[in-house]
């Protein structure tokens, strides 16, 4: 069965507006690390990579994680920076190319925290940082961040946001998921602080709240701030920050209050219910509980594993049905759009028989 036979794909191709940001459709390119920016500087090839997706009709591009100005923000010298003249000139060119192709582009700001191997490149002298010096496996892996370190990192996020705005990005996304630094503060396993940055789930939002407030201060009221959240963490796919809708509501409230415009709700399979008793996924619950627009993600357009009993066409029909019911507002596509830069155009034009399928063995070549 071809995509759209059962369900019109039109809801995917409705425009979306938030303040001054208008997107031509509901398709987002998910943020995906490439490690192709030597010394942190995105070059002409990076611009061409994003431009190709914009030319092919994706509504919004979310860049790969770009690190903030902190010596331990990454352990990989090829991750792009969102600071420094050369990197910012590189990004300004990326933005120009995407805009010239009629696209919109938002920069994802990233600090990996304790997932970085300590004293690794590009800054061998820098120790990795985290809320409690505990890694994602629960092992001791350093010292807890001091208050002044926390203050410095918050400022680095705000500076990154200001840089992104100045060079023409259409918004920023804070990476608050997957077990990286912000999520290390959210998660009880990695945040065992007893000061104001630790405590119950609401108190563990404090670090993110201060980052969002500082970014808001830096970019003004109308510039979109998106927060990416996830229940799962690297190496702990079953982890849950919020175990019920009530807990999720408590967790989200301070983040909304701090100034988040859109929540990017990272799940691995968009069709899986987040909590028993309702079909809503994480994006669905987040939108319902906050009234804020939400982005869903998770295996859209991928051939499903045999146990899912769904083919990729039925999955896209289900995605469109949920979008049409306004369960969420936008849908991010990751690996399928790596495999096929023309994914959005082919779906729009009903050329799904021409889609280049994603296969895991090609991942390294596609990045
Ligand atoms: C190669 C690769 C790199 C990724 N890098 C990032 C990243 O930098 N930031 C992020 O938030 N998510 C990252 N992700 C997760 C994706 O944004 C997305 O949530 C995930 O791939 C699920 O979407 P998909 O099933 O459509 O691929 C990455 C995923 C892949 C496959």
């Amino acid at each position: 069965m071809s995509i759209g036979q059962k369900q019109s794909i039109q809801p995917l191709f409705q425009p979306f507006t938030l303040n001054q940001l208008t997107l031509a459709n509901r398709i987002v390119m998910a943020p995906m690390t490439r490690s192709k920016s030597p010394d942190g500087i995105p070059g002409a090839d990076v611009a061409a990579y994003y431009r190709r997706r914009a030319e092919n009709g994706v509504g919004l591009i979310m860049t790969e994680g770009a690190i903030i100005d902190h010596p331990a923000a990454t352990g990989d010298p090829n991750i792009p920076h969102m600071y420094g003249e050369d990197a910012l000139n590189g990004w300004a060119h990326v933005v120009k190319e995407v805009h010239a192709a009629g696209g919109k582009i938002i920069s994802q700001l990233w600090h990996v925290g304790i997932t970085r191997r300590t004293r690794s490149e590009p800054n061998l002298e820098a120790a990795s940082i985290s809320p409690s010096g505990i890694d994602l496996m629960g092992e001791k892996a350093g010292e807890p961040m001091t208050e002044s370190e926390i203050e410095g990192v918050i400022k680095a996020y705000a500076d990154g946001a200001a840089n992104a705005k100045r060079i023409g990005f259409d918004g920023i996304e804070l990476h608050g998921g997957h077990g990286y630094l912000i999520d290390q503060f959210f998660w009880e396993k990695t945040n065992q602080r007893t000061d104001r940055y630790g405590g119950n789930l609401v108190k563990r939002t404090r670090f993110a709240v201060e980052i969002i407030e500082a970014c808001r201060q830096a970019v003004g009221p109308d510039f979109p701030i998106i927060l990416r959240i996830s229940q799962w963490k690297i190496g702990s796919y079953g982890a849950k920050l919020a175990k019920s809708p009530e807990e999720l509501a408590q967790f989200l409230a301070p983040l909304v209050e701090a100034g988040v415009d859109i929540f990017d709700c990272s799940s691995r399979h968009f069709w899986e219910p987040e909590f028993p008793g309702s079909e809503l996924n994480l994006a669905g619950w987040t939108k319902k509980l906050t009234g804020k627009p939400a982005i869903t993600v998770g295996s859209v357009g991928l051939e499903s594993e045999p146990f899912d009993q769904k083919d990729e066409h039925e999955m896209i029909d289900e995605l469109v049905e949920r979008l049409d019911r306004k369960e969420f507002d936008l849908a991010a596509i990751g690996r399928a759009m790596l495999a096929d830069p023309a994914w959005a155009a082919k779906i729009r034009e009903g050329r799904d028989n021409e889609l280049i399928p994603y296969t895991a063995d090609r991942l390294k070549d596609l990045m």
Side-chain angles (χ1 to χ4, degrees):
M1 179 171 38
S2 95
I3 293 164
Q5 227 168 296
K6 195 170 113 221
Q7 166 85 20
S8 160
I9 49 152
Q10 278 320 305
L12 259 183
F13 293 93
Q14 298 303 307
F16 170 84
T17 299
L18 176 100
N19 300 338
Q20 290 157 0
L21 177 71
T22 295
L23 308 179
N25 60 55
R26 306 305 178 102
I27 300 174
V28 177
M29 179 179 182
M32 281 177 291
T33 286
R34 307 187 63 220
S35 266
K36 293 211 169 138
S37 297
D39 297 324
I41 301 163
D45 55 322
V46 176
Y49 162 89
Y50 287 116
R51 181 177 176 131
R52 248 191 326 277
R53 274 74 187 180
E55 277 168 349
N56 281 290
V58 59
L60 173 65
I61 289 169
M62 205 70 86
T63 70
E64 62 201 287
I67 55 162
I68 58 167
D69 188 4
H70 183 271
T74 183
D76 177 345
N78 297 309
I79 298 295
H81 300 173
M82 191 48 66
Y83 60 90
E85 199 182 334
D86 291 344
L88 295 177
N89 285 341
W91 278 124
H93 180 62
V94 172
V95 170
K96 196 167 134 243
E97 289 290 302
V98 167
H99 285 168
K104 296 282 159 83
I105 183 164
I106 280 179
S107 157
Q108 188 186 57
L109 302 182
W110 195 23
H111 191 305
V112 305
I114 202 71
T115 65
R116 167 182 178 268
R117 202 162 37 80
T118 202
R119 303 188 195 286
S120 54
E121 288 190 353
N123 295 311
L124 294 170
E125 74 294 352
S128 295
I129 61 168
S130 64
S132 298
I134 297 169
D135 69 16
L136 300 194
M137 305 311 292
E139 307 286 333
K140 171 111 176 103
E143 295 306 314
M145 287 168 78
T146 62
E147 288 228 358
S148 82
E149 281 176 319
I150 290 179
E151 214 175 284
V153 170
I154 292 170
K155 181 172 182 310
Y157 272 103
D159 291 346
N163 288 341
K165 183 177 181 194
R166 194 175 68 247
I167 60 178
F169 276 103
D170 297 294
I172 55 152
E173 171 165 283
L174 299 166
H175 194 342
H178 304 177
Y180 295 114
L181 184 62
I182 294 175
D183 203 14
Q184 287 157 26
F185 275 83
F186 286 151
W187 200 24
E188 60 189 341
K189 187 166 172 181
T190 42
N191 182 351
Q192 297 183 0
R193 300 179 73 96
T194 50
D195 64 1
R196 68 201 180 99
Y197 295 101
N200 64 23
L201 181 59
V202 171
K203 292 194 166 142
R204 295 196 305 271
T205 65
R206 184 79 229 152
F207 179 63
V209 161
E210 291 185 12
I211 291 170
I212 297 158
E213 288 171 349
C215 289
R216 178 57 75 207
Q217 187 78 27
V219 299
D222 295 331
F223 192 71
I225 297 180
I226 302 177
L227 177 67
R228 186 164 234 213
I229 54 169
S230 71
Q231 299 261 43
W232 66 270
K233 322 293 164 212
I234 304 162
S236 295
Y237 291 125
K240 283 209 186 281
L241 293 177
K243 295 173 190 67
S244 63
E246 293 71 28
E247 283 186 9
L248 185 62
Q250 289 166 12
F251 169 71
L252 294 168
L255 303 169
V256 171
E257 177 76 11
V260 171
D261 293 304
I262 300 175
F263 285 95
D264 180 359
C265 304
S266 172
S267 49
R268 300 176 67 231
H269 304 117
F270 78 86
W271 58 90
E272 283 174 359
E274 190 54 51
F275 303 112
S278 158
E279 285 203 341
L280 293 180
N281 67 14
L282 183 62
W285 275 110
T286 298
K287 179 171 177 170
K288 183 182 160 102
L289 295 169
T290 63
K292 293 286 176 189
I295 306 174
T296 197
V297 68
S299 303
V300 178
L302 298 187
E303 273 180 42
S304 59
E305 290 136 31
F307 61 82
D308 290 326
Q309 314 264 317
K310 266 185 225 237
D311 70 15
E312 67 268 35
H313 299 146
E314 288 170 317
M315 265 203 280
I316 290 180
D317 282 335
E318 177 167 346
L319 178 80
V320 174
E321 281 167 23
R322 286 175 182 247
L323 190 64
D324 199 29
R325 288 203 297 267
K326 306 198 169 17
E327 181 176 329
F328 37 73
D329 301 86
L330 299 161
I333 320 294
R335 289 163 291 174
M337 203 172 293
L338 275 187
D340 196 338
W343 193 89
K346 288 178 184 174
I347 296 287
R348 187 186 62 222
E349 293 156 16
R351 295 191 285 134
D352 40 296
N353 56 340
E354 294 173 32
L355 286 168
I356 305 167
Y358 168 82
T359 52
D361 57 329
R362 290 173 60 222
L363 179 61
K364 279 268 171 268
D365 300 332
L366 296 168
M367 286 164 70

